[in-house]
Amino acid sequence: MKPRREFRTSSRIFEGRAAPRRPERQRLWRIPRYVVLGFYVLATSALLIGFLWIPQIRITSIVVQGTRIEDPKEFEAIAREQLEGAYWYVVPRNSIFLYPAQRIAHEIESRYPRVRAAKVGYRTATSIHLDVRERISAALWCAELGPCVFLDSAGFAFARAPRFSGPVFFEFGSTSTPPTVGIPILSLGEFEEFMRFEKDLAGLLM
């Protein structure tokens, strides 16, 4: 019989510590970039929306300037009506950064023919101002036996007027269209030309 050989594995002996094991490869789990980006976008949006709801930058006061005949409280009420609620149910309309200035001006001009122009602007962090310019009477547009309306320098009818006993304003007679508030009696060029003629005629007769 052949002698049996014994094979022994060699081992190293480390003083004071066990023999190091070969590290195993660990599979790293990574979050997709689009998920991280989406999280940052949502977090930033939430912070911004929360900032816009801070009372220190929300409109609580409205100052109306320039009115002579109309009640300024009515203009203030229109502005407050447009400041109510929120955009998309999350962003406050009365934020000093996002208040609907053009919408407020449009509503005032469309509801009040007497208003020639309305301008909305910043005043303080919690207040805005409404600068209202009313139309000035330049002539009358009257029906033969009916009512009269005031006309401004552009020929726009903006308010009902009484019949005056004397020649307070130049008076246009009734046309095919009855005197109606909110429409022009003539085109701008025609009205201006007519008013210049009236002024020159009045100068000659003096």
Side-chain angles (χ1 to χ4, degrees), residues 13-19:
I13 300 175
F14 292 84
E15 296 180 359
R17 59 179 181 175

Side-chain angles (χ1 to χ4, degrees), residues 2-55:
K2 292 182 179 181
R4 186 177 180 182
R5 294 182 180 181
E6 295 181 359
F7 296 93
R8 296 181 180 180
T9 57
S10 61
S11 61
R12 297 179 182 178
I13 300 175
F14 292 84
E15 296 180 359
R17 59 179 181 175
R21 294 183 178 180
R22 187 177 179 181
E24 296 182 359
R25 284 178 130 185
Q26 296 181 355
R27 187 175 181 180
L28 297 178
W29 183 71
R30 295 183 179 180
I31 302 176
R33 291 184 179 180
Y34 66 87
V35 175
V36 177
L37 180 61
F39 173 79
Y40 279 118
V41 170
L42 290 176
T44 303
S45 301
L47 289 174
L48 179 60
I49 292 172
F51 171 75
L52 294 174
W53 283 93
I54 295 176

